[in-house]
């Protein structure tokens, strides 16, 4: 099957009156094909740029979601920490009050009052220490990060906090002691409990190792609260930064989309001018050749 | 030359047109092929993201449950000895000599006055209140564990496949069922008088059993109730530790998934760039074919004019 018969086309071109028309069509075709070529290059260049921005946007959005998810857990952790502190304080106040009478005094021992907080916090400290290590293993990076995200005042405050943080979380009780405390809390039997109700060493809550370890633990909880506050502050600033970066990318995408249309229109206009000029010269040259032929034939 | 293609330029143009058409077709096919790969990669990436989001949701659930369990049990732990010590002191008053003999045998140290006579106008009535409080505390603890059990059961059933995939050996379906009456948990099973103690909290006659216990339970029986409470708390602590361990494994898996996500994302980006490149080439070669065809016509026109 033949779509195009060259011989017929040549015959068509041989007819003089068709030449001018054919030339106009061919030149228009050439003009349009050049325009199509340039538009394709412009489009592909801009589309590639936009594509890059879109992927950057997707990557940032993913990271933002990731950070948001962890940020959402902070109030839960912070709330739990506060609740724990309140429960502990309430219990201490209540115990101190009921210990004012002889019967109440025998009800609450040092073990009852101080061991739970020591065991609860000291057993779960690994994650906190890991987190501190992650932040402090490269102090230069930490400084750079604090400089980028925080004000001078906050930067100084957080830097001081991180420099001394590891020392503040030194173990309060040994692993052996923690094992003993677990046994005292969960495995006390009849005799142990009675002993606690009468032994003065257990009943005097104002002195001793447990009191000291409990105070140190409560200090560490306070410090952990500061760390949680820092993380909250950090996530807020990082998320804001990411939000502004995403907005910037959105603006760039809109800008480049508008550039694409504008550049194509400008290219079209420029090529149209070139086409008109070429067309003018070619038609003029045909007319000139025709008149020359006519003169010769006369 | 028979058909009027009188010069080599026309032949060159025809050759270029045919080559450009061929390349256009080739680029078209490559673009289709890349699009196919891109579609598959997108599906793979979406599935990967879904997995990542699901794992993150599991991690969040576990962390929140862990935190809540910790807080809920903390007040139980702080008050753990409050009622049993009250009962023991009262009992101590009744049987001072025997108890002291047993407890303080071969021990040195100072001891407080053991008299509590002035504090109870009706000692038996007060003791019954304390016993109620002790039972009520255990009942509250069972209710707290049950809440965790229900939440966990629902969570486990809806994420069973993923949990098994993450760490089958760490977490299982019956993690929080240790409190249930039919549970075969060894630490509970081996407790002294466990059948009697469970009768206060499980089964049809619990209320009658509780009233009966007020009159007929010995101090040892009440210590058994206390021990039951402490074993429940210890189990809850152990299960909480299992969840933390699972959460750590999950965090490690999430790190690997994150790295894979970056690789998949780069692959997607590269494929998309390649697809655009092939589309551009296809269009460019099509237009070039057309362009040279037009140049051929123009050449033919010129040839005919001459």
């Amino acid at each position: 099957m033949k779509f195009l018969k060259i011989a017929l086309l040549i015959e068509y071109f041989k007819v003089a009156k068709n030449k001018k028309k054919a030339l106009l069509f061919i030149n228009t075709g050439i003009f349009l094909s050049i325009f199509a070529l340039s538009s394709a290059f412009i489009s592909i260049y801009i589309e590639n740029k936009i594509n890059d921005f879109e992927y950057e946007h997707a990557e940032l959005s993913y990271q933002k979601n990731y950070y948001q998810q962890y940020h959402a857990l902070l109030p839960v952790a912070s709330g739990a920490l506060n609740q724990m502190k309140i429960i502990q304080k309430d219990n201490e106040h209540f115990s101190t009050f009921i210990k004012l009478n002889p019967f109440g005094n025998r009800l609450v021992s040092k073990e009852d009052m101080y061991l739970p907080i020591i065991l609860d916090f000291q057993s779960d400290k690994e994650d906190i220490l890991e987190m501190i290590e992650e932040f402090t293993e490269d102090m230069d990076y930490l400084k750079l990060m604090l400089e980028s995200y925080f004000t001078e005042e906050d930067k100084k405050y957080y830097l001081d906090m991180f420099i001394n943080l590891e020392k503040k979380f030194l173990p309060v009780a040994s692993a052996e002691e923690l094992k003993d405390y677990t046994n005292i809390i969960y495995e006390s039997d009849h005799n142990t409990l009675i002993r606690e109700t009468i032994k003065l060493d257990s009943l005097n809550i104002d002195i001793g190792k447990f009191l000291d370890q409990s105070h140190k633990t409560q200090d560490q909880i306070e410090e952990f609260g500061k760390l949680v506050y820092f993380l909250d502050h950090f996530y807020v600033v990082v998320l804001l930064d990411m939000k502004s970066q995403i907005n910037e990318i959105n603006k760039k995408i809109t800008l480049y989309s508008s550039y694409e249309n504008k550049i194509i229109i400008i290219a079209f206009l420029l090529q149209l001018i070139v086409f008109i000029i070429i067309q003018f010269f070619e038609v003029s040259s045909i007319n000139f050749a025709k008149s020359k032929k006519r003169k010769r034939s006369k | 030359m028979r058909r009027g293609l009188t010069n080599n330029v026309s032949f060159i143009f025809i050759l270029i047109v045919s080559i450009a058409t061929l390349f256009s077709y080739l680029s078209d096919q490559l673009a289709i092929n890349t699009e196919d790969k891109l579609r598959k990669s997108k599906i793979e990436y979406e599935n990967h993201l879904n997995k990542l989001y699901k794992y993150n949701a599991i991690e969040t659930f576990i962390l929140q449950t862990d935190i809540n369990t910790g807080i809920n049990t903390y007040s139980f732990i702080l008050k753990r000895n409050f009622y049993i010590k009250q009962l023991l002191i009262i009992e101590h008053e009744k049987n001072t000599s025997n108890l002291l003999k047993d407890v303080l045998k071969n021990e040195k140290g100072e001891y407080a006055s053991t008299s509590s006579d002035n504090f109870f106008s009706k000692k038996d009535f007060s003791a019954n209140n304390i016993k109620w409080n002790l039972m009520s505390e255990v009942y509250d603890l069972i209710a707290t564990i049950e809440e965790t059990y229900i939440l966990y059961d629902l969570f486990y059933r809806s994420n069973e496949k993923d949990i098994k995939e993450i760490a089958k050996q760490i977490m299982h379906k019956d993690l929080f069922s240790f409190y249930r009456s039919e549970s075969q948990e060894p630490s509970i099973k081996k407790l002294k008088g466990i059948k009697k103690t469970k009768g206060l909290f499980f089964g049809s006659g619990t209320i009658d059993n509780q009233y009966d216990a007020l009159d007929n339970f010995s101090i040892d029986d009440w210590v058994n109730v206390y021990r039951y409470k402490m074993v429940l708390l210890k189990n809850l602590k152990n299960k909480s530790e299992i969840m933390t361990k699972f959460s750590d494994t999950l965090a490690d898996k999430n790190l690997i998934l994150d790295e894979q996500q970056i690789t998949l994302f780069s692959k997607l980006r590269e494929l998309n760039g390649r697809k655009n490149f092939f589309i551009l080439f296809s269009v460019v070669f099509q237009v070039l074919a057309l362009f040279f065809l037009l140049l051929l016509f123009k050449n033919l026109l010129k040839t005919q004019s001459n």
Side-chain angles (χ1 to χ4, degrees):
Chain A
M1 197 171 139
K2 284 181 180 174
F3 287 107
L4 185 66
K5 272 200 164 186
I6 295 285
L8 282 176
L9 195 70
I10 292 167
E11 286 306 313
Y12 175 79
F13 288 156
K14 274 179 183 170
V15 181
K17 65 171 183 178
N18 288 341
K19 274 182 188 168
K20 207 172 156 184
K21 215 194 271 171
L23 195 69
L24 180 72
F25 279 122
I26 290 167
N27 281 345
T28 311
I30 290 170
F31 157 70
L32 288 175
S33 58
I34 291 171
F35 171 64
L37 268 178
S38 55
S39 299
F41 276 108
I42 293 165
S43 290
I44 216 76
Y45 173 75
I46 305 270
E47 282 305 316
N48 267 346
K49 276 260 173 205
I50 291 175
N51 200 34
D52 283 348
F53 289 138
E54 276 174 349
Y55 275 101
E56 215 177 309
H57 187 283
E59 186 68 39
L60 266 172
S61 300
Y62 170 75
Q63 281 178 7
K64 193 170 165 249
N65 282 342
Y66 193 77
Y67 278 120
Q68 258 167 347
Q69 195 196 336
Y70 281 100
H71 188 221
L73 274 178
L74 285 178
V76 181
S78 168
L81 207 67
N82 285 333
Q83 231 175 313
M84 195 177 163
K85 276 188 326 202
I86 291 167
I87 294 171
Q88 179 69 25
K89 284 276 169 216
D90 267 1
N91 186 62
E92 281 182 17
H93 292 161
F94 174 70
S95 300
T96 316
F97 171 71
I98 63 160
K99 276 180 89 62
L100 292 174
N101 69 60
F103 180 70
N105 181 39
R106 290 176 60 194
L107 281 181
V108 183
S109 67
K110 275 178 193 169
E111 288 85 348
D112 293 335
M113 222 165 141
Y114 303 127
L115 293 192
I117 197 159
I118 301 168
L119 187 68
D120 204 72
F121 193 74
Q122 299 300 329
S123 313
D124 287 342
K125 231 167 57 178
E126 257 176 52
D127 287 345
I128 301 170
L129 292 171
E130 264 177 38
M131 201 199 300
I132 295 168
E133 201 188 321
E134 267 176 40
F135 275 107
T136 52
E137 64 185 350
D138 188 349
M139 282 309 273
D140 291 334
Y141 179 72
L142 178 70
K143 275 180 199 166
L144 189 75
M145 191 183 74
L146 291 174
E147 260 168 31
S148 322
Y149 289 129
F150 297 103
T151 60
E152 193 57 35
E153 199 182 336
D154 286 338
K155 184 197 126 188
K156 202 174 167 300
Y157 173 77
Y158 289 132
L159 205 59
D160 285 346
M161 183 186 90
F162 274 112
I163 287 168
N164 301 312
L165 208 53
E166 226 161 336
K167 284 178 203 157
K168 288 176 182 166
F169 283 97
L170 288 174
V172 161
S174 67
E176 201 59 39
E177 280 177 319
L178 290 178
K179 206 176 159 191
D180 287 344
Y181 298 169
T182 309
N183 279 336
I184 293 172
I185 291 175
Y186 293 103
E187 307 292 342
S188 286
D189 59 11
H190 202 143
N191 290 352
T192 319
L193 290 169
I194 292 175
R195 207 178 289 118
E196 275 183 24
T197 64
I198 48 176
K199 206 168 178 182
L200 283 182
D201 183 42
S202 286
L203 296 176
N204 189 354
I205 58 167
D206 299 323
I207 49 162
K209 186 174 82 174
F210 296 161
L211 172 75
D212 186 40
Q213 287 180 339
S214 161
H215 281 170
K216 282 180 182 163
T217 302
Q218 288 187 46
D219 289 344
Q220 289 187 349
I221 293 175
E222 282 294 325
E223 288 304 321
F224 180 59
K226 286 179 193 169
L227 189 65
V228 171
Y229 178 77
F230 162 76
L231 286 175
D232 190 31
H233 196 169
F234 174 71
Y235 276 127
V236 167
V237 180
V238 168
L239 284 170
L240 274 176
D241 184 49
M242 281 182 164
K243 197 180 164 190
S244 73
Q245 281 185 50
I246 289 172
N247 282 341
E248 276 300 308
I249 293 171
N250 283 340
K251 275 182 196 165
K252 276 183 188 169
I253 291 172
T254 321
L255 191 73
Y256 271 81
S257 298
S258 69
Y259 275 170
E260 188 180 0
N261 295 336
K262 281 174 192 162
I263 293 171
I264 289 173
I265 290 168
I266 292 166
F268 176 79
L269 290 174
L270 285 174
Q271 284 165 20
L272 187 67
I273 293 164
V274 173
F275 165 73
I276 291 166
I277 294 166
I278 291 171
Q279 195 59 27
F280 172 77
F281 282 114
E282 275 196 324
V283 171
S284 306
S285 71
I286 287 172
N287 288 340
F288 180 69
K290 263 184 186 175
S291 62
K292 222 176 170 184
K293 250 185 182 178
R294 247 183 252 137
K295 271 179 192 172
R296 256 189 232 153
S297 61
K298 274 177 191 174
Chain B
M1 303 306 153
R2 190 174 58 84
R3 294 190 177 211
L5 297 172
T6 47
N7 59 17
N8 287 336
V9 180
S10 301
F11 278 112
I12 292 166
F13 281 152
I14 288 170
L15 204 67
I16 293 172
V17 168
S18 56
I19 290 168
T21 311
L22 208 66
F23 272 103
S24 165
Y25 176 74
L26 197 73
S27 304
D28 220 18
Q29 286 307 309
L30 283 170
I32 290 167
N33 194 268
T34 316
E35 174 63 35
D36 202 39
K37 279 183 191 165
L38 187 68
R39 200 181 301 117
K40 280 177 192 162
S41 295
K42 266 184 187 166
I43 292 169
E44 195 186 349
Y45 181 71
E46 287 297 325
N47 287 342
H48 190 83
L49 270 191
N50 284 341
K51 194 176 183 179
L52 203 60
Y53 288 144
K54 192 151 199 191
Y55 279 18
N56 282 339
I58 291 174
E59 200 183 351
T60 308
F61 173 86
I62 287 175
L63 282 172
Q64 284 186 338
T65 310
D66 196 22
I67 290 171
N68 287 342
T69 311
I71 282 296
N72 288 338
T73 49
Y74 191 65
S75 51
F76 280 107
I77 301 269
L78 274 177
K79 295 185 300 179
R80 67 193 180 280
N81 296 336
F82 194 63
Y83 299 119
I84 192 68
K85 277 186 177 175
Q86 291 178 33
L87 279 181
L88 282 170
I89 292 169
I90 292 168
E91 185 65 21
H92 188 196
E93 298 295 315
K94 284 184 195 163
N95 308 295
T96 307
S97 55
N98 291 337
L99 271 167
L100 278 180
K101 248 185 228 166
D102 289 343
V103 175
L104 305 178
K105 202 162 46 183
N106 302 326
E107 273 198 31
K108 288 174 184 173
E110 289 180 76
Y111 298 95
S113 153
T114 57
S115 173
S116 62
D117 284 345
N118 300 329
F119 296 98
F120 298 110
S121 49
K122 292 175 183 171
K123 222 174 214 175
D124 285 341
F125 177 73
S126 306
N128 279 353
N129 270 347
I130 297 161
K131 287 168 188 169
W132 268 121
N133 288 341
L134 180 60
M135 285 191 286
S136 156
E137 198 185 25
V138 178
Y139 190 80
D140 287 345
L141 177 62
I142 290 172
T144 305
I145 301 171
E146 187 158 39
E147 267 176 39
T148 314
Y149 168 80
I150 292 167
L151 277 175
Y152 176 80
D153 188 53
L154 198 66
F155 157 78
Y156 188 91
R157 274 191 280 145
S158 54
N159 297 290
E160 190 169 1
K161 200 177 145 230
D162 295 294
I163 292 170
K164 281 181 176 167
E165 200 181 293
I166 297 160
K168 196 180 172 182
Q169 66 284 8
I170 299 178
M171 285 234 289
H172 54 86
K173 189 173 160 278
D174 299 321
L175 196 68
F176 287 97
S177 62
F178 62 88
Y179 78 98
R180 292 173 77 98
S181 164
E182 68 278 8
S183 161
Q184 294 297 309
E185 171 65 40
S187 59
I188 296 174
K189 223 175 145 186
K190 72 175 184 190
L191 281 173
K192 274 186 201 164
I194 185 65
K195 207 175 165 190
K196 215 170 167 185
T197 307
K198 275 191 175 177
L200 299 175
F201 309 105
F202 300 101
S204 51
T206 49
I207 299 289
D208 292 340
N209 289 344
Q210 284 171 2
Y211 276 109
D212 186 51
L214 292 178
D215 298 327
N216 300 322
F217 263 33
S218 67
I219 188 69
D220 284 332
D221 291 330
W222 289 114
V223 172
N224 288 342
V225 174
Y226 161 81
R227 286 293 312 134
Y228 175 61
K229 178 184 79 174
M230 292 317 293
V231 170
L232 285 180
L233 279 168
K234 194 173 184 186
N235 266 291
L236 200 56
K237 182 181 183 283
N238 290 343
K239 305 307 172 188
S240 189
E241 278 167 9
I242 288 175
M243 283 185 42
T244 311
K245 204 172 157 194
F246 180 82
S247 172
D248 291 344
T249 313
L250 188 54
D252 291 343
K253 290 230 170 193
N254 272 346
L255 274 181
I256 298 167
L257 284 180
D258 268 339
E259 279 166 21
Q260 286 172 349
Q261 184 265 342
I262 294 166
T263 316
L264 282 173
F265 195 72
S266 308
K267 190 182 166 191
L268 213 61
R269 200 172 174 168
E270 191 201 317
L271 279 174
N272 208 35
R274 210 188 293 169
K275 187 193 87 180
N276 286 346
F277 179 76
F278 287 135
I279 290 173
L280 167 75
F281 265 69
S282 173
V283 170
V284 166
F285 281 117
Q286 264 178 43
V287 176
L288 274 179
L290 192 70
F291 178 71
F292 281 101
L293 197 67
L294 289 167
L295 286 183
L296 171 73
F297 292 166
K298 206 170 175 179
N299 188 52
L300 288 175
L301 196 68
K302 259 186 189 172
T303 317
Q304 295 314 311
S305 307
N306 296 334

